[in-house]
């Protein structure tokens, strides 16, 4: 069962919450980066999450049509086939979808899964993300209510981002400022609108100074201890201990202590994209520099087919990214925790 059923995905998240570890959620943009993520999880003996952003899905849809739904469905179907060769379990997830792309991405994908479930099959994706961080909280949660109902009906978990994450992700940009910290009031309003599981399960991307992309030390002030305040504030109001399943966005460059604190406070999923992109690209750059006169037909020569064959540098890229995924598993304490 390499692609998690709805029941197994819930079990995965419950095990992470109870064991105070998190699953690396690896963004992929190709079948090759998919294999790299699967390989990294398998080598770490960790289950995990594979995710596709709107930009990644558009790229996967091909540059002729650039259709996001086609790209996402194609990779998901491919994953259902090839993941069977890996001795781990993964969930498929769609990353950041803002309001203007819902009709062209998440809503059609929810409909596809609803049709599958109606036929007695499992949903194509196990979770989808609604990124309403650019909207005011009332509008964000209103749309979240609609999407959560549709997701729950299709046996899918919804991820919601209620307040901004800094930096840029697929064209959605937020400044790095004091608004990057979710308040207890924000969390209470979220619980009032979306419930605490009775309306459908959701993952919460709360902001504690997170920033997407690459940043130098000192430019970002992460406060993962804030997640404890949110858990306790909402927990006290509703009489429920640790009510939220948190997601850590913008984790590239985070310290081990920051990650550890986040795990202790309920983070069950941590997104990785920037670091794995570099880990994939770095071996390719090295190969090209080392084999300059082979990958190029310099001064009328014919080059060297063995070094410009995409398989020669593609294998190196897969290995580099897989290694970074295994490191993420170690940092998030998921190494060796796969479902037997």
């Amino acid at each position: 069962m390499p692609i998690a059923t709805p029941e197994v995905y819930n079990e995965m998240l419950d095990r992470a919450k109870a064991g105070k570890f998190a699953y690396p959620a690896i963004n992929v943009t190709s079948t090759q980066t998919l294999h790299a993520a699967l390989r990294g999880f398998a080598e770490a003996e960790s289950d995990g999450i594979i995710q596709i952003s709107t930009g990644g899905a558009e790229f996967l849809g091909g540059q002729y049509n650039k259709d996001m739904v086609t790209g996402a469905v194609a990779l998901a179907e491919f994953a259902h086939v090839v993941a069977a060769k890996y001795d781990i379990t993964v969930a498929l997830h769609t990353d950041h979808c803002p309001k203007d792309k819902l009709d062209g991405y998440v809503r059609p994908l929810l409909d596809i899964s609803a049709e599958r479930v109606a036929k007695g099959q499992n949903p194509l994706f196990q979770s989808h993300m609604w990124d309403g961080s650019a909207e005011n909280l009332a509008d964000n949660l209103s749309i979240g209510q609609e999407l959560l109902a549709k997701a729950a009906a299709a046996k899918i978990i919804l991820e919601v981002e209620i307040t901004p994450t800094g930096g840029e992700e697929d064209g959605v940009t937020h400044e790095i400022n004091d608004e990057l910290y979710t308040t207890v009031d924000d969390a209470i309003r979220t619980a009032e609108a979306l419930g605490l599981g009775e309306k459908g399960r959701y993952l919460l991307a709360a902001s504690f100074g997170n920033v997407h992309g690459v940043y130098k030390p000192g430019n970002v002030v992460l406060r993962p201890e804030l997640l404890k305040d949110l858990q306790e504030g909402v927990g006290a109001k509703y009489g429920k201990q640790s009510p939220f399943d948190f997601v850590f966005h913008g984790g590239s460059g985070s310290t081990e202590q920051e990650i550890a604190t986040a795990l202790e406070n309920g983070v069950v999923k941590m997104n990785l994209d920037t670091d794995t992109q570099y880990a994939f690209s770095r071996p390719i750059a090295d190969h090209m520099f080392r084999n300059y006169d082979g990958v190029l037909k310099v001064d009328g020569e014919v080059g060297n087919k063995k070094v410009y064959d995409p398989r020669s540098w593609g294998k190196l890229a897969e290995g580099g990214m897989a290694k970074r995924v295994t490191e993420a598993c170690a940092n998030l304490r998921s190494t060796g925790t796969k479902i037997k």
Side-chain angles (χ1 to χ4, degrees):
M1 187 172 47
I3 302 296
T5 63
E7 295 76 18
V8 169
Y9 191 28
N10 277 283
E11 180 187 350
M12 285 170 58
L13 297 173
D14 289 342
R15 292 174 75 241
K17 186 82 166 287
K20 295 189 182 299
F21 66 88
Y23 296 106
I26 308 299
N27 281 76
V28 300
T29 54
S30 65
T31 57
Q32 194 170 15
T33 51
L34 169 65
H35 273 296
L38 291 169
R39 175 178 164 184
F41 287 134
E43 290 178 349
E45 297 187 341
S46 169
D47 300 319
I49 298 170
I50 304 290
Q51 58 187 28
I52 311 167
S53 68
T54 55
E58 181 181 271
F59 180 76
L60 280 157
Q63 300 310 289
Y64 184 72
N65 284 316
K66 298 183 179 181
D67 184 75
M68 293 184 292
V69 173
T70 297
V73 169
L75 193 79
E77 295 284 8
F78 184 83
H80 277 263
V81 175
V82 300
K85 299 299 182 181
Y86 294 85
D87 189 23
I88 40 94
T89 303
V90 293
L92 303 179
H93 174 81
T94 60
D95 198 16
H96 291 275
C97 184
K99 182 178 179 179
D100 64 344
K101 294 182 179 179
L102 283 173
D103 288 341
Y105 195 48
V106 165
R107 287 190 176 110
L109 291 174
L110 281 170
D111 290 341
I112 289 171
S113 284
E115 291 174 7
R116 289 169 62 100
V117 169
K119 296 176 183 177
Q121 302 172 331
N122 288 317
L124 185 60
F125 283 86
Q126 286 65 60
S127 52
H128 292 297
M129 181 183 177
W130 151 234
D131 182 355
S133 60
E135 315 300 321
N136 65 61
L137 188 56
D139 291 344
N140 183 341
L141 294 174
S142 177
I143 294 172
Q145 288 175 315
E146 171 230 331
L147 295 174
L148 182 60
K150 289 183 177 179
K155 300 183 178 180
I156 287 171
I157 293 171
L158 187 69
E159 179 180 331
V160 295
E161 183 168 359
I162 56 170
T163 44
T165 294
E168 188 270 335
E169 175 85 3
D170 277 349
V172 178
T173 303
H174 293 295
E175 293 183 4
I176 301 175
N177 55 35
D178 289 342
E179 293 183 5
L180 304 185
Y181 300 94
T182 302
T183 66
V184 172
D185 181 63
D186 296 331
I188 289 174
R189 290 176 64 186
T190 300
E192 289 173 345
L194 304 182
L196 291 175
E198 70 278 6
K199 298 180 181 180
R201 188 168 190 171
Y202 62 92
L203 306 175
L204 181 61
S207 305
F208 50 96
N210 320 60
V211 176
H212 290 128
V214 184
Y215 50 88
K216 293 182 179 180
N219 286 10
V220 176
V221 180
L222 287 177
R223 292 172 46 203
E225 65 278 3
L226 180 147
L227 298 178
K228 182 179 181 181
D229 297 338
L230 304 184
Q231 297 278 35
E232 291 180 347
V234 173
K237 180 177 175 64
Y238 287 90
K240 186 174 182 178
Q241 186 175 6
S242 192
F244 292 121
D245 300 324
F246 285 124
V247 181
F248 191 152
H249 282 250
S252 297
S254 302
T255 67
E256 290 186 13
Q257 183 56 54
E258 288 167 340
I259 293 173
T261 301
L263 297 178
E264 292 295 323
N265 293 324
V267 165
V268 296
K269 172 180 181 280
M270 178 172 166
N271 294 6
L272 278 94
D273 190 12
T274 302
D275 285 357
T276 49
Q277 285 177 340
Y278 184 76
F280 184 84
S281 300
R282 180 63 180 82
I284 300 175
D286 181 70
H287 177 84
M288 297 302 172
F289 281 122
R290 288 178 182 273
N291 297 283
Y292 174 83
D293 57 353
V295 297
L296 296 177
K297 298 180 179 181
V298 179
D299 295 333
E301 294 297 326
V302 296
N304 183 349
K305 182 183 184 303
K306 290 184 178 180
V307 297
Y308 63 70
D309 182 336
R311 289 170 293 184
S312 64
W313 48 264
K315 293 174 183 177
L316 299 172
E318 179 187 308
M321 180 171 166
K323 181 180 179 182
R324 183 62 185 85
V325 173
T326 64
E327 292 173 2
C329 292
N331 290 337
L332 296 177
R333 307 173 183 167
S334 70
T335 300
T337 64
K338 70 175 184 177
I339 295 174
K340 306 298 183 183

